Amino acid sequence: MAKICIDMDGVMADTYQKFADAYLKEFGREPTRAELLGKKVYELDGAGHLRDLMYEPGFFRDVAVMPGAREVVAELYDGHDVYVVTSTMEFRNSFTDKWDWLGEHFPFIHHSKIVFCGKKDVVRGDFMIDDKEANLAGFNGTGLLFTALDNHYITGYHRVNDWTEVREYFRAEVAAEIAEIG
Amino acid sequence: MAKICIDMDGVMADTYQKFADAYLKEFGREPTRAELLGKKVYELDGAGHLRDLMYEPGFFRDVAVMPGAREVVAELYDGHDVYVVTSTMEFRNSFTDKWDWLGEHFPFIHHSKIVFCGKKDVVRGDFMIDDKEANLAGFNGTGLLFTALDNHYITGYHRVNDWTEVREYFRAEVAAEIAEIG
């Protein structure tokens, strides 16, 4: 059974939108797509302090679920060895928020399949779905780069642009496996 | 650089003593060594409810540091790729307690090298120091069984009885490596 490690922020959770909202509130407009190609919101001029939002209690609790994530993660969970693997360790106040968020939106994920970490090169699996190149670069299996504006210029990984593409990718994987066995 | 995954409870932290203290308080005596061979305190007759202490805020915050752990982990940290890998996910209130505990007693460990997880078979490394057989059984590298009363009857792993033995084990490892290179 293939072990699939799935990132939270930018993959299961639309954390980007939280920063865009904060930017809007402060600067009176949302950052444009053009500005954000290759950049995080908090890498824009004058917005560096927005990164500190991640230290605040509650920040990770009300993030929107990425479209399609719930349905496709549920499908993958049934038939694969799915782990949620999320970087949390810099942010002391993120732990319970993330745990509660997963319990609310992904109640079918058993707690034993959740990993809070820092550097992801301590994780092993067959597949990793992540929007951060550094996480995929140190991975022992196949990395799938989940598209985000800030990873626009990254090449060298199989890209999945949304959860529909993740579903298709693993359906094709399973079909190929069955064909091999057959 | 060898990647060493180190467990917290029963290895870095003397969590056993917390349960023994609770048992003493309730039953008027500490459990004996003979009673505990092959068992956790909360597996003793009538003491099953003591396991629930782990759900309480604060339980993991004031655990004593295992003798020698601080010094030897510091030595290992300097020269190896050390990760702290601890099962926390069942216990929502344990996250910040464990994070704070590590910050207090092991301030030299960078947050990126801490892993909170459930099942440890998602972790990879060269060595794992753990008191729980199930964690070592699913590990891809060399498992070192850190002696505890409850793992008394487990065989099939290299045993380290205390942190002095951990130090010796890795000094011998390094010496063997140098000899190989030389």
Side-chain angles (χ1 to χ4, degrees):
Chain A
M1 197 153 66
K3 200 189 290 292
I4 307 174
C5 301
I6 306 178
D7 181 32
M8 276 179 79
D9 299 304
V11 177
M12 294 169 73
D14 191 1
T15 318
Y16 158 75
Q17 193 56 49
K18 293 271 302 193
F19 291 109
D21 291 348
Y23 188 95
L24 169 65
K25 202 172 158 188
E26 184 162 337
F27 297 94
R29 64 171 186 89
E30 280 215 20
T32 66
R33 181 182 155 81
E35 282 174 312
L36 286 173
L37 290 181
K39 275 187 194 164
K40 301 269 190 198
V41 173
Y42 51 76
E43 287 166 350
L44 296 176
D45 282 348
H49 59 287
L50 294 181
R51 187 177 187 282
D52 294 342
L53 290 172
M54 291 191 280
Y55 290 101
E56 291 183 11
F59 179 80
F60 290 99
R61 184 61 188 88
D62 64 352
V63 183
V65 177
M66 204 70 106
R70 196 174 344 210
E71 298 73 19
V72 181
V73 173
E75 274 181 44
L76 294 179
Y77 197 83
D78 180 29
H80 298 85
D81 191 23
V82 168
Y83 280 82
V84 175
V85 180
T86 176
S87 295
T88 59
M89 283 302 153
E90 185 183 345
F91 309 108
R92 179 184 183 278
N93 291 317
S94 69
F95 306 134
T96 51
D97 284 340
K98 289 197 167 196
W99 198 86
D100 290 346
W101 188 92
L102 285 168
E104 181 187 349
H105 299 293
F106 296 82
F108 56 86
I109 297 176
H110 192 263
H111 57 69
S112 64
K113 312 301 285 293
I114 302 171
V115 180
F116 289 171
C117 62
K119 284 183 69 179
K120 293 193 182 176
D121 66 355
V122 71
V123 160
R124 71 184 154 116
D126 300 296
F127 299 94
M128 177 177 276
I129 309 172
D130 210 295
D131 63 332
K132 189 171 175 181
E133 185 192 18
N135 293 333
L136 299 179
F139 186 58
N140 70 310
T142 301
L144 302 179
L145 186 66
F146 197 94
T147 292
L149 292 175
D150 66 84
N151 68 33
H152 184 75
Y153 297 111
I154 304 297
T155 57
Y157 295 94
H158 182 95
R159 249 182 208 280
V160 280
N161 289 304
D162 53 36
W163 278 97
T164 305
E165 290 194 14
V166 175
R167 172 187 276 145
E168 282 160 14
Y169 181 89
F170 284 101
R171 283 186 181 170
E173 272 291 318
V174 170
E177 250 175 57
I178 292 168
E180 211 168 280
I181 295 162
Chain B
M1 196 154 65
K3 198 188 290 294
I4 307 174
C5 301
I6 307 178
D7 181 32
M8 276 177 80
D9 299 303
V11 176
M12 293 169 74
D14 191 0
T15 319
Y16 158 76
Q17 193 55 49
K18 291 273 301 194
F19 290 108
D21 291 348
Y23 189 95
L24 170 64
K25 203 173 157 188
E26 184 163 336
F27 298 93
R29 64 171 185 88
E30 280 216 19
T32 66
R33 181 182 157 80
E35 282 175 311
L36 286 172
L37 291 181
K39 276 188 194 162
K40 301 269 190 196
V41 173
Y42 50 76
E43 288 166 349
L44 296 176
D45 283 347
H49 59 286
L50 294 181
R51 187 176 188 282
D52 294 341
L53 289 171
M54 291 191 280
Y55 290 100
E56 291 182 10
F59 179 80
F60 291 99
R61 183 61 188 90
D62 63 352
V63 183
V65 176
M66 205 67 107
R70 195 173 345 211
E71 298 72 19
V72 180
V73 173
E75 273 182 44
L76 294 179
Y77 198 84
D78 181 29
H80 298 85
D81 190 23
V82 167
Y83 281 82
V84 174
V85 180
T86 176
S87 295
T88 59
M89 283 301 153
E90 185 182 345
F91 309 107
R92 179 183 183 276
N93 291 316
S94 68
F95 306 135
T96 50
D97 284 340
K98 287 196 168 197
W99 198 86
D100 291 345
W101 188 91
L102 285 167
E104 179 185 350
H105 300 293
F106 296 82
F108 55 87
I109 297 177
H110 191 262
H111 57 69
S112 65
K113 312 301 285 292
I114 302 171
V115 181
F116 289 171
C117 62
K119 284 182 70 179
K120 293 192 182 177
D121 65 355
V122 70
V123 159
R124 70 185 155 116
D126 300 297
F127 299 94
M128 176 176 278
I129 310 172
D130 210 295
D131 64 333
K132 189 171 174 179
E133 185 193 19
N135 293 333
L136 300 180
F139 186 58
N140 70 310
T142 302
L144 303 178
L145 185 66
F146 198 94
T147 292
L149 292 175
D150 66 84
N151 67 33
H152 184 76
Y153 298 110
I154 305 296
T155 56
Y157 296 94
H158 183 95
R159 250 181 206 281
V160 281
N161 289 304
D162 54 34
W163 277 97
T164 305
E165 289 194 16
V166 175
R167 172 187 276 144
E168 282 162 13
Y169 181 89
F170 284 100
R171 283 188 180 167
E173 272 292 317
V174 170
E177 251 175 58
I178 291 168
E180 212 169 280
I181 297 162

